Amino acid sequence: MKDIMLKITGKQLVGEEAEEKMEFITEGKLYERGGAKYLMYEESEFSGFPGCKTTLKLTENSIRLKRIGENAGAGHEMIFEKGKRYNSRYSTPYGEMELEILTNEVVNNLSEEGFGTVGIDYHVSLGGLAEGRNQLNIEVLQ
């Protein structure tokens, strides 16, 4: 397991315009297992998930994001694969809601050493009440 620094940028879009943007730099860990790379980091107040640990499993064609912690919707997991839909239940303080994700793009440009960028562009619907397009970009810094 290798110590790394991550620059994480998230955008919520309305049309092509960024409505909300967050960006932060944090320490993380990188390791490889079974042909996949894993990035782990602690969420912060900026991300809206303070006290949660996020793990990204990176393969050639997909990214699995798993959050564990008090504010993570009881151990929430999302799978991003270009052109595919993913449905799950998401726990909120107000009860469970249906979560649907349609992934537009998955980019994994990590080098063999684990440096580079990872990106996800996806549409999300939360119980049909909130819909939007999100982009998540993570840069693994040297």
Side-chain angles (χ1 to χ4, degrees), residues 38-124:
Y38 292 81
L39 299 175
M40 292 186 335
Y41 61 93
E42 298 284 333
E43 294 283 355
S44 72
E45 293 287 334
F46 296 112
S47 68
F49 297 99
C52 293
K53 181 182 280 186
T54 295
T55 302
L56 296 170
K57 177 183 180 183
L58 312 169
T59 62
E60 189 175 329
N61 298 316
S62 70
I63 296 175
R64 184 193 75 188
L65 182 148
K66 186 168 188 168
R67 282 194 185 102
I68 298 171
E70 192 175 309
N71 296 313
H76 190 70
E77 181 176 86
M78 294 183 279
I79 299 171
F80 302 94
E81 202 168 346
K82 184 177 179 172
K84 295 199 176 175
R85 290 187 189 278
Y86 176 76
N87 293 292
S88 69
R89 306 285 299 163
Y90 187 72
S91 295
T92 72
Y94 310 104
E96 282 200 357
M97 300 183 88
E98 186 70 29
L99 175 73
E100 180 180 85
I101 292 169
L102 172 61
T103 305
N104 304 314
E105 194 69 47
V106 173
V107 177
N108 180 352
N109 289 327
L110 291 188
S111 67
E112 200 57 39
E113 298 79 32
F115 299 109
T117 58
V118 173
I120 308 167
D121 183 321
Y122 62 100
H123 282 86
V124 63

Side-chain angles (χ1 to χ4, degrees), residues 1-8 24-30 38-44 52-55 138-142:
M1 196 171 301
K2 179 163 63 170
D3 291 332
I4 55 173
M5 292 299 291
L6 299 167
K7 179 179 177 183
I8 300 169
F24 65 99
I25 295 176
T26 188
E27 296 174 344
K29 304 275 186 198
L30 168 72
Y38 292 81
L39 299 175
M40 292 186 335
Y41 61 93
E42 298 284 333
E43 294 283 355
S44 72
C52 293
K53 181 182 280 186
T54 295
T55 302
I138 299 174
E139 184 178 355
V140 181
L141 307 169
Q142 296 192 21

Side-chain angles (χ1 to χ4, degrees), residues 12-31:
Q12 292 181 335
L13 302 162
V14 173
E16 294 299 316
E17 298 295 318
E19 183 175 275
E20 192 174 314
K21 181 178 178 180
M22 67 91 187
E23 183 174 287
F24 65 99
I25 295 176
T26 188
E27 296 174 344
K29 304 275 186 198
L30 168 72
Y31 65 95

